């Protein structure tokens, strides 16, 4: 109500009046998503072309795959942006169940595949998919549906824990069973975001943080690969191509050599097989090298705008399901982006998380676009948004009007 009153009181063309418009969240989400997707496609092409040629492929091979995945994700985003909120809520349980069963397929001989010690892909007939990406969206929607129904009881321990902890714990465990600690951490951030928005008392978060820290410590000390990554992150001495610190070192060199304005699009030196995963987990370093500090700030600013739009949906929408689900998606996408950037600049050890919408990767791109489609649907159902969108002329009608005036 306060937002609506402010919007009415503001002059029609003022910046504050535009921000308080009922459709601000919708357009900011749509614009930030589109720009990040375009930047991602351009940078995937730039960062992958050299290695593609070195492997005997077309320089456009990785870009073509990424564009194909974007074209798959686009109709999914559009469809989900039109799905009514009550329909998403109704299908929360079966969708999460299907996602967990899908994840279990990675352990089926002949279907599951992976690399680097991780077994988190389903491979069939030359095609592959990462089920853990589907779990992210399914879990976010499920948390919104369950916590919204139990909202008045969440101050009690048993209602805050059941069934969220067992079911969410199962989803995390099946991902951890494939040795994918990075995705498991994102799932934990997602769950924490949903519980926070739902209003679970902060003292419960303190206990969960202690328990989660203990589990993370055990998982680290029991894995030589993870231990090596931690020790290499703490010391960059003696880095070579076989050291875990090699990626972080060259990522930092790429960012440093970019300066303010960058070396120019396509002019990266690190992508010439010096920086591993230049088009995946470390694409932010190539952005900094080619587009400079200005390019990295642009990307960070777009994620910041996306975060503000999601916070706005949480504050303005009256439906608890929408608020909680949006909080979960916010912590997933923005939290994952934060961790990816922290890894590239050396503030966190390498854990293999892509930069949402920007890094190459089919499953991650498609499911991120699907999640943003869900949040855009929520933005469309904000108070006054549906009426404002319906009252505005379509692009076709505006174009025809302009053509008609020009002929007259």
């Amino acid at each position: 109500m306060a937002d609506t009153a402010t919007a009415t009181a503001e002059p029609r063309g003022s910046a504050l009046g535009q921000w308080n418009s009922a459709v601000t969240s919708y357009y900011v989400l749509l614009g930030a998503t589109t720009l990040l997707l375009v930047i991602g496609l351009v940078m995937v092409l730039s960062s992958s072309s050299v290695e593609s040629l070195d492997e005997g492929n077309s320089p456009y091979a990785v870009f073509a795959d990424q564009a194909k995945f974007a074209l798959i994700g686009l109709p999914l985003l559009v469809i989900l942006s039109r799905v009514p909120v009550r329909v998403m809520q109704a299908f929360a349980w079966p969708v999460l169940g299907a996602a967990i069963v899908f994840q279990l397929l990675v352990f089926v001989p002949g279907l599951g595949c992976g690399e680097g010690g991780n077994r988190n892909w389903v491979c069939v007939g030359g095609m592959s998919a990462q089920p853990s990406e589907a779990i992210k969206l399914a879990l976010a929607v499920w948390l919104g549906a369950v916590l919204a129904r139990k909202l008045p009881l969440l101050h009690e321990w048993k209602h805050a824990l059941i069934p969220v902890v067992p079911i969410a714990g199962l989803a995390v465990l099946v991902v951890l069973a494939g040795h994918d600690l990075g995705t498991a951490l994102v799932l934990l951030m997602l769950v924490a975001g949903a519980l926070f928005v739902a209003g679970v008392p902060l003292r419960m978060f303190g206990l969960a943080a202690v328990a989660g820290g203990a589990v993370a410590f055990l998982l680290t000390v029991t894995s030589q690969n993870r231990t090596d990554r931690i020790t290499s992150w703490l010391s960059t001495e003696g880095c070579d191509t076989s050291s875990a610190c090699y990626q972080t070192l060259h990522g930092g060199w790429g960012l440093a050599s970019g300066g303010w304005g960058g070396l120019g699009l396509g002019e990266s030196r690190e992508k010439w097989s010096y920086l591993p995963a230049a088009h995946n987990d470390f694409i932010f370093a190539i952005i900094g090298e080619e587009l400079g500090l200005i390019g990295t700030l642009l990307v960070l600013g777009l994620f910041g705008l996306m975060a503000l739009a999601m916070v706005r949906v949480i504050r303005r929408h009256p439906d608890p399901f929408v608020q909680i689900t949006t909080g979960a998606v916010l912590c997933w996408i923005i939290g994952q982006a934060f961790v990816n950037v922290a890894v590239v600049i050396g503030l966190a050890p390498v854990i293999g998380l892509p930069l949402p919408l920007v890094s190459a990767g089919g499953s991650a791109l498609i499911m991120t676009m699907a999640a943003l489609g869900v949040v855009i649907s929520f933005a469309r159902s904000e108070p006054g948004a549906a009426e404002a969108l319906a009252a505005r002329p379509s692009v076709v009608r505006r174009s025809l009007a302009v053509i008609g005036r020009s002929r007259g």
Side-chain angles (χ1 to χ4, degrees), residues 292-375:
L293 180 64
I294 295 173
T296 58
L297 290 179
L298 172 61
V299 171
L300 293 177
L302 289 172
F303 278 113
L305 283 174
M306 187 178 290
L308 285 174
M310 291 190 198
V311 170
R312 193 173 184 275
V313 171
I314 294 171
R315 295 188 62 183
R316 284 176 50 86
H317 208 290
D319 191 336
F321 165 73
V322 168
Q323 296 172 343
I324 296 167
T325 303
T326 304
V329 174
L330 168 63
C331 287
W332 157 18
I333 295 177
I334 306 303
Q336 183 171 318
F338 177 83
V339 172
N340 175 273
V341 172
V343 168
V344 173
I345 64 179
L347 293 180
V350 178
I351 55 177
L353 286 177
L355 187 61
L357 294 174
V358 181
S359 293
S363 300
L365 177 63
I366 291 170
M367 295 316 301
T368 301
M369 292 179 71
L372 289 168
V374 169
V375 179

Side-chain angles (χ1 to χ4, degrees), residues 26-204:
Y26 171 78
Y27 283 117
V28 170
L29 282 168
L30 202 60
T33 300
T34 302
L35 288 174
L36 283 171
L37 185 59
V38 171
I39 291 172
L41 289 171
V42 171
M43 294 312 302
V44 165
L45 173 60
S46 176
S47 58
S48 66
S49 56
V50 172
E51 288 198 356
S52 292
L53 281 171
D54 187 53
E55 294 169 359
N57 300 319
S58 164
Y60 303 101
V62 178
F63 167 77
D65 284 341
Q66 189 74 352
K68 175 184 66 179
F69 295 132
L71 290 175
I72 294 173
L74 184 59
L76 191 59
L77 183 152
V78 173
I79 291 170
L80 287 174
S81 70
R82 302 281 177 160
V83 174
V85 172
R86 63 181 183 277
V87 175
M88 298 184 196
Q89 199 166 2
F91 283 91
W93 277 94
V95 168
L96 179 61
I100 292 176
V101 171
F102 188 25
Q103 174 66 29
L104 291 174
L105 292 180
V106 304
F107 307 109
V108 176
L111 288 179
C113 59
E115 59 182 18
N118 292 354
R119 188 177 179 87
N120 51 5
W121 294 83
V122 173
C123 302
V124 179
M127 301 181 64
S128 61
Q130 191 173 5
S132 58
E133 293 295 332
I135 286 183
K136 292 177 184 176
L137 179 55
L139 185 59
V141 175
W142 179 84
L143 285 167
V146 170
L147 292 174
R149 291 177 182 173
K150 304 188 70 174
L151 207 56
L153 305 171
L154 292 180
H155 62 282
E156 300 180 25
W157 283 86
K158 60 181 180 181
H159 289 291
L161 296 177
I162 307 297
V164 170
V165 171
I167 302 298
L170 174 63
V172 173
L173 283 175
V174 295
V175 172
L176 275 176
H179 305 288
D180 190 355
L181 181 59
T183 300
L185 290 175
V186 174
L187 291 175
L188 291 177
M189 287 193 291
L190 182 154
V191 173
L195 291 173
F196 179 81
V197 174
V200 171
L202 292 180
R203 63 180 182 274
M204 297 186 187

Side-chain angles (χ1 to χ4, degrees), residues 254-274:
L255 287 169
S257 62
W260 286 95
L263 302 177
L265 188 62
E267 298 298 322
S268 168
R269 300 160 185 161
E270 291 295 334
K271 69 183 181 183
W272 288 77
S273 299
Y274 293 109

